[in-house]
Amino acid sequence: MSTTRLFSERKPHFYSLCSVLLSIGISACSFVELKPEARNIILSPPHGECRQLGEYELSTQVKMMFISRRPESLADELQILAQNKAAVLGANAIWPASEITEGTRTYLFLRCPPSR
């Protein structure tokens, strides 16, 4: 068997492997960066001392290149979007007010007094 024939017979497996690895990589990626001013935004349920500044629905892509993204990746990306939005609003805390549905989740944006 020639080297050329052996290599050409293995190519389909190589392309399949590359496709699988690319799919896994894309499905796990987050494409949103946490802004420096949003790093101190905390995840906290609303309580009596907090003032609600707003409630916003945030969305992200559910599929990338026809590949469904993992639920954990969607949740992480939505939380980063919420933290970035909170920094713009002057909130120091966020809390998810809904489950994730088709890449969309509602968050509460809160201004809470500093912890003692």
Side-chain angles (χ1 to χ4, degrees):
M1 181 180 293
S2 75
T3 308
T4 308
R5 184 170 176 213
L6 181 62
F7 181 71
S8 66
E9 288 175 359
R10 290 186 182 187
K11 267 187 178 179
H13 299 294
F14 176 75
Y15 292 132
S16 296
L17 178 62
C18 287
S19 295
V20 168
L21 292 175
L22 181 63
S23 299
I24 290 169
I26 288 174
S27 68
C29 286
S30 176
F31 298 99
V32 178
E33 240 181 85
L34 184 66
K35 294 179 182 174
E37 59 271 21
R39 287 198 173 106
N40 294 325
I41 306 297
I42 62 169
L43 190 61
S44 174
H47 52 82
E49 296 179 8
C50 295
R51 183 169 56 100
Q52 186 173 326
L53 301 179
E55 182 175 312
Y56 293 90
E57 193 175 83
L58 303 169
S59 299
T60 190
Q61 294 291 320
V62 176
K63 291 186 177 192
M64 292 289 172
M65 295 175 36
F66 308 105
I67 300 165
S68 294
R69 297 176 65 205
R70 294 183 348 200
E72 297 85 11
S73 297
L74 293 174
D76 290 346
E77 193 164 299
L78 287 166
Q79 183 170 324
I80 292 169
L81 287 168
Q83 287 175 272
N84 289 342
K85 178 79 171 175
V88 171
L89 295 172
N92 63 358
I94 58 170
W95 189 250
S98 72
E99 295 297 319
I100 299 171
T101 306
E102 296 181 22
T104 300
R105 177 178 249 177
T106 301
Y107 280 89
L108 302 177
F109 293 85
L110 311 163
R111 184 81 191 151
C112 301
S115 11
R116 297 178 185 120

